[in-house]
Amino acid sequence: MSLNLEQYVSEFSAQNINGEHLLQLDGSKLKALGMTSSQDRAIIKKKLKEMKASLEKARKAQEKMEKQREKLRKKELEQLQRKLKKTDKSSSDATEGTNEQ
């Protein structure tokens, strides 16, 4: 409707075309859905291309964030492990010092 193509809403609804299905449509499938105007198909295909690019960009950004979180978690775990080793070594050294006396 935002593309001023309201005349196709009823057919898309009748065919249960939702957002995910819409992304899979090509020119021939649009034509089969009653979109006879090549100009209208071009408008839809252009918008679908933009939407796919936007989705891909968002997916890549999400993957990047997940990688950064994982890297941070690993770094924090390594720091904790080093801290525990120091604590273990300190308590082991203190125990050995007591035993020698």
Side-chain angles (χ1 to χ4, degrees), residues 27-99:
S28 62
K29 290 177 184 173
L30 290 169
K31 200 171 191 178
L33 285 168
M35 193 172 280
T36 56
S37 167
S38 60
Q39 187 177 13
D40 290 351
R41 286 193 307 273
I43 291 169
I44 291 281
K45 288 191 292 186
K46 180 181 177 190
K47 189 65 172 178
L48 289 173
K49 185 177 180 180
E50 290 171 4
M51 290 170 66
K52 287 176 185 177
S54 179
L55 286 171
E56 182 64 17
K57 186 176 179 179
R59 184 189 63 77
K60 286 182 179 182
Q62 180 68 29
E63 285 179 358
K64 185 177 179 181
M65 288 287 291
E66 288 173 10
K67 285 180 183 179
Q68 288 174 339
R69 283 189 197 120
E70 184 60 29
K71 188 176 179 180
L72 183 59
R73 277 191 286 256
K74 284 181 181 180
K75 186 176 180 180
E76 288 172 346
L77 181 61
E78 288 171 1
Q79 289 174 346
L80 181 60
Q81 288 172 339
R82 282 194 296 270
K83 195 174 189 180
L84 287 173
K85 283 181 183 179
K86 284 181 183 178
T87 304
D88 286 347
K89 186 176 181 195
S90 296
S91 92
S92 174
D93 290 346
T95 304
E96 285 178 14
T98 305
N99 289 340

